[in-house]
Amino acid sequence: MFTVGIIGKNGQLGNALLRLSPVGDVTVEVFDRSECDIAEENSVKKGLKDKALDVVVNAAAYTAVDQAEREPGCAQAVNARGPANLAAFCARENIPLIHISTDYVFDGTQRIPYREGDTIAPLGVYGASKAQGEANVRRLLTQHIIIRTAWLYSATGDNFVKTMLRMGREKPVLKVVDDQYGCPTSATDLAAAVWQIIAAVRRKGRSYWGTYHFCNKGETTWYGLAEAVFERARTYPSYALQVEQLLPIPTSAYPTPARRPAYSVLNCDLIQSIFQMKIRSWQAALHDTMDELMSLGMKDAP
């Protein structure tokens, strides 16, 4: 039996990983914060010891980008010290670690998609804490795979897609930033990619260790994503949208505590080449997620 430990079972990715877990000779052990608080070294030891894990996936993170500016210690504890605690444990136990990171490690000054080896220069506390987490994993554990992703959404949890659906039912006019470019990414697609990587690592035919990028194909702005959400929502007659006007605005018109990169599109060629992975468009992935929301009867919708 091959046992996979998933840290952060209640998050968007943790939920998707559990839903897509393969049947057969794979066992999944899932941990929430009460069972394994990665910010606390002793909690990691107590939670993961004696579980006979063959690989650990860290899907836990502090993701409140603006709140991180007000409580940097909390962001550092989860996003920087947490991965260090996991990597140190995995090194002692000889267990590979798959760690999830972010496009916000880049400053957005580039105008071509970022590759894995491009210089990182985070603009805010959140990005800096995630960059330090990456560095800690690399320093402490050889058997690691770091996956940077971006603009994650799903039918569960809090995310931009669900926020737009909620606001679209409440307001006739919405203003959305149209000068920040990125890659909307389905948590389901990311989870499928992680399981594909786990299968490759399990075969142990070669070394896959290192840093990779995974996002759905294509790029857009927050405004472009919102536009696509409402276009799809209008195909569901039972979903009562109130929004009549969607207006593009510059970042300067919507100030936030944290600075965001103007361009954080990720180049995913490496992960596709190494793992023979096919990545679909963000539009196709978005349609499936919204179909899932509607099939739930909007029980988990905003």
Side-chain angles (χ1 to χ4, degrees):
M1 190 64 69
F2 187 84
T3 305
V4 178
I6 299 172
I7 314 297
K9 71 177 184 181
N10 294 324
Q12 293 186 93
L13 179 58
N15 185 281
L17 284 166
L18 187 57
R19 285 191 294 111
L20 295 183
S21 57
V23 296
D25 63 344
V26 174
T27 297
V28 176
E29 295 275 359
V30 292
F31 305 88
D32 62 18
R33 186 177 179 182
S34 67
E35 297 160 322
C36 179
D37 183 351
I38 63 172
E40 301 295 334
E41 183 180 2
N42 287 337
S43 180
V44 170
K45 292 177 181 177
K46 183 178 178 180
L48 303 186
K49 191 74 174 176
D50 302 324
K51 295 296 185 180
L53 301 176
D54 293 292
V55 64
V56 171
V57 181
N58 181 28
Y62 180 107
T63 58
V65 177
D66 288 323
Q67 188 68 20
E69 300 295 318
R70 294 184 284 268
E71 47 184 38
C74 294
Q76 281 288 324
V78 178
N79 294 343
R81 188 165 72 243
N85 290 334
L86 285 173
F89 173 85
C90 288
R92 289 192 299 269
E93 301 294 324
N94 193 30
I95 302 171
L97 172 65
I98 298 175
H99 172 65
I100 309 301
S101 191
T102 175
D103 58 328
Y104 277 29
V105 299
F106 298 111
D107 64 8
T109 58
Q110 199 163 284
R111 280 299 176 265
I112 58 173
Y114 283 93
R115 293 183 178 273
E116 289 80 357
D118 287 337
T119 301
I120 63 172
L123 297 176
V125 171
Y126 166 72
S129 68
K130 294 294 286 183
Q132 185 59 55
E134 288 187 11
N136 288 340
V137 170
R138 295 188 189 99
R139 175 174 55 87
L140 294 167
L141 180 64
T142 300
Q143 297 181 94
H144 72 264
I145 291 175
I146 295 168
I147 304 174
R148 294 183 185 133
T149 191
W151 295 24
L152 202 65
Y153 65 86
S154 70
T156 61
D158 297 325
N159 56 71
F160 180 83
V161 170
K162 292 179 67 178
T163 296
M164 286 297 101
L165 286 171
R166 173 179 57 80
M167 295 181 70
R169 292 199 300 186
E170 297 172 352
K171 298 181 178 182
V173 179
L174 289 176
K175 299 177 181 180
V176 183
V177 170
D178 195 32
D179 58 359
Q180 294 175 22
Y181 290 81
C183 308
T185 305
S186 159
T188 298
D189 286 22
L190 176 58
V194 170
W195 280 116
Q196 187 173 339
I197 289 169
I198 290 171
V201 169
R202 185 181 182 185
R203 290 193 292 269
K204 298 181 179 179
R206 56 175 294 182
S207 173
Y208 296 100
W209 315 129
T211 301
Y212 300 90
H213 291 168
F214 180 91
C215 295
N216 285 115
K217 279 189 175 179
E219 63 183 72
T220 189
T221 64
W222 293 112
Y223 171 84
L225 178 54
E227 194 174 41
V229 166
F230 293 135
E231 181 180 350
R232 185 66 174 178
R234 290 187 179 95
T235 68
Y236 305 105
S238 61
Y239 196 74
L241 277 177
Q242 298 299 317
V243 64
E244 298 173 355
Q245 213 174 3
L246 185 65
L247 302 176
I249 61 172
T251 298
S252 59
Y254 188 73
T256 57
R259 292 176 60 201
R260 276 125 168 114
Y263 185 91
S264 60
V265 177
L266 300 179
N267 182 305
C268 300
D269 289 347
L270 183 61
I271 201 169
Q272 292 180 93
S273 172
I274 296 297
F275 296 100
Q276 287 77 58
M277 189 177 291
K278 293 183 179 179
I279 301 178
R280 60 179 176 162
S281 71
W282 68 264
Q283 294 94 332
L286 175 65
H287 288 180
D288 279 359
T289 296
M290 292 187 64
D291 287 349
E292 182 182 354
L293 274 168
M294 299 303 163
S295 71
L296 292 171
M298 302 310 294
K299 292 177 184 177
D300 194 36

